[in-house]
């Protein structure tokens, strides 16, 4: 369903971030992307929903060619692709439920969104998403009152409200302690199993990747050096990725 | 050495100060009998002053919100537009409020309307800077996280930038308001409405009893407003409504998003009405204004000797006030900081004293010094020194109070007295903070010294008001340009030094 062909990204006309990366991801896969910092993991994910525009290459989601979409078409396709950041990026002064409602924005007309008209249905969906990550009782609190793990759960709820086909997560647990990291990873696993959402996740912790992902992609200096099942991820391969 | 030179430049003379003492004492004696029957008129004028300050702060903040969205470089629709606008606004920001008022009085004639506009401009420029700094501090990922749900750029503004800005707008309003209430008290000196008008009149008529009434009431008003603004801010910070159900919350939100634009529109209508602007007056003002601006642009460079003379005097007044203020602040802070002062009572008393010192705009203080040392740069320099001492002591004593206790204790355990601990442990420890505060004061003093001349207390302001009154707009153009360049240079220099100290 997701296909990336010969992707190349050059920042500021000089820094080569990605070089000739191609991959195909099927529906319902749980893909972990590993590699040392600066290997192009973030850039790859950000290309998939075009937060970063590739200098060369093609990206397809189902039958859509993302690079040739109008800005309206791009907004519609972004609805299908949820994105989770390492630093949560919630709106601090807004309440938790208002943050989750942002996930419903792409279902609104410009008039509705300008005057902040969310329907009963939107609110119920937001509430359901929050109960999915077990944060219903924090619904009316301000986002900056939450702990890091709770903030990331709110971000997941927001993304689920979009009803995405694909979820991209850029180091979602890198700033969390181990126990919380596992808790968050469990939410990704459940979204993958129960809702059949395809997941691409950047992780610097190889153990976490081995435990939760079914397929691993290894990046090194912008090039893809490994693509295979978790079982094939031998120490030799790891050495090649991180050396 | 330096101080002696600067002292000479501001015509410092102990003899004159001593000779002036009886005059000052006489002034205070006469001021000790305020004329309470005068309170009615004063009250009316104070109400007008407060009205000007509130309305202009509101106008400025409301205008700044949309413009900030346009000029912030990370979200601006056009980078070049925002760069040009920012340069223009940076230039305007160097022009003091009283100068704006003086020029606007020439355009719209005497009354509170030009005062309103002048303070609105100041409020606008101040809040624009605060908003812009905030928006530019939003990191790219925060914007991206809203973009990635499929939001348009308008929705990113509405849901990502605006919620934080609205919360900030309240505190920005109060910061601007507390500055504007002080500026509003002196607007009358150039005929732009408010309490300053009758204050100026009473001074010229030597009615010190009336003046005392004004100053007392002004002091009470400013204290009241500071306290009020503190309470409102605290309330808003801690306010969290009880929500009963999802439906309840949804209805509240709908009500809020309908009500806010209505309140906004209501305020705009209210402000416009209160000014009783007529189209005719606006048209006349616009015609005169464009003529004045056109003439200012034809800068008269041959006037430069007076410009350099004035700027040099202003600079000297500012440096004198900063040095003297800095010296006293070091001493006073020790007694004002509650964790260092020899007793609680000393600290409270000292805090009271510095609050009095910093409540009055320096220009009012200068008027009081006229009685003692006569008009001229010395009166201005002394007034600004007192103000600087007050503000700097407040800020530096807060630094001392926020310092971790073990810094102080680590010196105290050696058997040193509190004063020795301050001199040898705490002061060196916080020296960088002190210098940084001192440099901020220097920047502010430069701006203040530029307006002291309006009442004849020396510096570039004298030349400015004279030429504004005589409508020599070509010369005003040169003076404004000079003042701006000087202020921008000093800001740059102090910025550089601040980084160096850290």
């Amino acid at each position: 369903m997701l296909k990336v062909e010969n992707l190349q990204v050059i920042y500021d006309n000089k820094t080569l971030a990605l070089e000739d990366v191609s991959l195909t991801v099927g529906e319902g896969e749980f893909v972990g992307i590993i590699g040392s910092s600066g290997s192009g993991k973030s850039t790859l994910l950000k290309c998939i929903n075009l937060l970063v525009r590739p200098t060369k290459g093609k990206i397809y989601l189902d039958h859509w060619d993302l690079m040739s979409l109008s800005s309206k078409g791009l907004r519609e396709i972004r609805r299908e692709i949820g994105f989770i950041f390492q630093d949560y990026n919630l709106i601090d002064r807004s309440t938790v439920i208002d943050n989750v409602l942002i996930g419903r924005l792409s279902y609104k007309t410009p008039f509705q969104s300008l005057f902040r008209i969310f329907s009963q249905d939107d609110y119920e969906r937001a509430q359901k998403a929050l109960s999915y990550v077990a944060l219903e009782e924090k619904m009316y609190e301000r986002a900056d009152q939450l702990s890091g793990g709770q903030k990331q759960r709110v971000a997941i709820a927001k993304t689920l409200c979009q009803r995405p086909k694909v979820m991209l997560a850029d180091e979602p647990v890198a700033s969390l302690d181990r126990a919380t990291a596992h808790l968050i990873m469990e939410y990704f696993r459940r979204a993958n199993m129960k809702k059949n959402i395809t997941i691409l996740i950047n992780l610097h912790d190889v153990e976490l990747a081995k435990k939760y992902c079914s397929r691993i992609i290894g990046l090194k200096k912008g090039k893809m050096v490994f693509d295979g099942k978790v079982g094939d991820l031998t120490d030799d391969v790891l050495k090649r990725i991180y050396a | 050495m330096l101080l002696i030179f600067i002292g000479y430049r501001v015509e410092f003379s102990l003899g004159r100060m001593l000779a002036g003492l009886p005059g000052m004492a006489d002034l205070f004696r006469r001021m000790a009998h305020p004329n309470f029957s005068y309170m009615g008129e004063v009250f009316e004028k104070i109400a007008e002053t407060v009205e000007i300050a509130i309305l202009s702060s509101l106008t400025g903040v409301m205008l700044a919100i949309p413009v900030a969205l346009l000029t912030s470089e990370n979200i601006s629709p056009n980078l070049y537009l925002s760069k040009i606008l920012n340069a223009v606004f940076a230039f305007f920001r160097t022009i003091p409020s009283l100068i704006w008022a003086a020029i606007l009085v020439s355009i719209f004639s005497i009354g509170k309307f030009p005062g309103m506009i002048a303070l609105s401009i100041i409020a606008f420029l101040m809040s624009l800077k605060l908003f812009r700094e905030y928006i530019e501090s939003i990191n790219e990922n925060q914007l991206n996280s809203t973009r990635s749900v499929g939001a348009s750029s308008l929705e990113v503004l509405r849901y990502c930038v605006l919620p934080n800005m609205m919360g900030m707008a309240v505190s920005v309003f109060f910061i601007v308001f507390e500055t504007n209430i002080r500026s509003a008290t002196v607007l009358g000196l150039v005929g732009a409405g408010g309490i300053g008008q009758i204050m100026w009149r009473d001074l010229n008529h030597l009615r010190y009893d009336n003046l005392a009434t004004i100053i007392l009431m002004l002091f009470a008003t400013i204290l009241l407003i500071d306290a009020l603004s503190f309470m409102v801010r605290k309330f808003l910070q801690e306010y969290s409504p009880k929500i009963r159900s999802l439906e309840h919350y949804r209805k509240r939100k709908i009500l809020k998003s309908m009500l806010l634009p209505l309140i906004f529109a209501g305020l705009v209508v209210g402000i416009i009405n209160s000014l009783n602007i007529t189209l005719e007056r606006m048209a006349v003002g616009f015609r005169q204004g464009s003529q004045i601006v056109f003439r200012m642009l034809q800068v008269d460079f041959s006037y430069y000797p007076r410009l350099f003379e004035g700027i040099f005097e202003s600079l000297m007044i500012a440096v004198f006030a900063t040095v003297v203020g800095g010296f006293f602040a070091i001493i006073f802070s020790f007694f004002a900081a509650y964790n260092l002062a020899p007793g609680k009572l000393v600290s409270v008393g000292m805090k009271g004293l510095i609050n009095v010192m910093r409540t009055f705009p320096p220009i009012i203080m200068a008027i009081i010094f006229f009685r003692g040392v006569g008009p001229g740069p010395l009166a201005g320099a002394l007034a600004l020194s007192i103000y600087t001492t007050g503000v700097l002591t407040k800020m530096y004593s807060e630094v001392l109070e926020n310092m971790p206790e073990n810094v102080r204790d680590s010196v105290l355990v050696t058997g040193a007295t509190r004063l020795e601990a301050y001199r040898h442990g705490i002061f060196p420890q916080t020296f960088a903070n002190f210098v940084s505060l001192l440099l901020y004061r220097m920047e502010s003093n430069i701006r203040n010294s530029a307006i002291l001349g309006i009442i004849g207390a020396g510096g570039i302001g004298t030349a400015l008001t004279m030429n504004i009154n005589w409508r020599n707009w070509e010369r005003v153009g040169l003076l404004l340009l000079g003042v701006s360049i000087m202020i921008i240079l000093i800001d740059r220099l102090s910025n550089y030094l601040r980084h160096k100290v850290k």
Side-chain angles (χ1 to χ4, degrees), chain B residues 422-444:
Chain B
Y422 176 57
R423 169 70 189 81
H424 296 287
I426 298 157
F427 181 64
Q429 179 85 17
T430 52
F431 184 68
N433 292 16
F434 178 74
V435 172
S436 161
L437 290 175
L438 194 70
L439 288 168
Y440 273 125
R441 277 299 101 206
M442 180 69 200
E443 288 175 35
S444 152

Side-chain angles (χ1 to χ4, degrees), chain B residues 170-171 174 226-240:
Chain B
V170 176
S171 57
F174 281 110
D226 284 0
L228 227 88
S229 103
F230 176 76
M231 269 154 49
V232 172
R233 262 188 290 183
K234 209 172 152 71
F235 170 75
L236 286 173
Q237 218 166 45
E238 289 165 2
Y239 176 69
S240 67

Side-chain angles (χ1 to χ4, degrees), chain A residues 231-243:
Chain A
D232 301 334
L233 193 67
T234 57
D235 286 353
D236 266 2
V237 175
L238 280 176
K239 233 178 242 165
R240 213 170 64 224
I241 297 173
Y242 284 100

Side-chain angles (χ1 to χ4, degrees), chain A residues 93-99 139-143, chain B residues 249 253:
Chain A
R93 275 177 180 277
S94 297
T95 57
V96 167
I97 188 144
D98 285 351
N99 269 289
M139 199 148 65
Y140 307 120
E141 271 179 41
R142 261 173 58 158
Chain B
Y249 183 79
K253 274 287 177 182

Side-chain angles (χ1 to χ4, degrees), chain B residues 211-391:
Chain B
L211 199 65
T213 320
I214 295 176
I215 288 182
L216 278 178
M217 286 181 69
L218 208 54
F219 184 60
T221 312
I222 291 183
L223 278 188
L224 194 71
I225 282 175
D226 284 0
L228 227 88
S229 103
F230 176 76
M231 269 154 49
V232 172
R233 262 188 290 183
K234 209 172 152 71
F235 170 75
L236 286 173
Q237 218 166 45
E238 289 165 2
Y239 176 69
S240 67
K242 270 267 159 290
I243 309 289
R244 284 192 304 273
S245 67
L246 199 61
E247 187 54 25
H248 176 211
Y249 183 79
R250 190 172 83 94
K251 288 200 169 126
R252 272 184 70 100
K253 274 287 177 182
I254 293 178
L255 198 69
K256 200 175 153 192
S257 57
M258 295 288 151
L259 228 52
L260 269 180
L262 276 180
I263 293 175
F264 195 83
L267 278 176
V268 173
V269 173
I271 289 171
I272 291 175
N273 276 341
S274 79
L275 289 174
N276 40 42
I277 311 169
T278 60
L279 266 177
E280 202 180 336
R281 193 174 177 195
M282 286 305 274
V284 172
F286 184 76
R287 231 182 7 258
Q288 275 176 348
S290 55
Q291 206 177 10
I292 288 173
V293 172
F294 181 70
R295 282 183 60 194
M296 271 197 225
L297 288 175
Q298 297 165 307
V299 180
D300 175 12
F301 284 105
S302 63
Y303 195 58
Y304 73 92
R306 185 74 189 84
L307 170 75
F308 285 130
E309 193 186 318
I311 279 193
F312 187 68
E313 199 171 78
S314 279
L315 199 64
M316 286 304 133
I317 292 175
V319 174
F320 179 86
T322 312
V323 173
V324 173
F327 174 74
F328 283 110
I330 291 175
I331 300 169
F332 286 8
S333 295
F334 172 74
F335 294 100
Y338 69 83
N339 54 346
L340 291 174
K344 253 233 131 79
L345 223 62
V346 178
S347 157
V348 171
M350 201 67 207
K351 280 188 179 180
L353 177 68
I354 58 173
N355 270 329
V356 176
M357 289 169 97
R358 67 185 190 89
T359 297
F360 294 108
I363 206 160
I364 294 184
M365 206 74 91
I367 293 172
I368 297 175
F369 274 109
F370 279 2
R371 180 73 186 173
V373 296
L378 181 58
L382 291 175
L384 205 51
S385 303
I386 288 190
Y387 181 72
T388 308
T389 310
V391 178

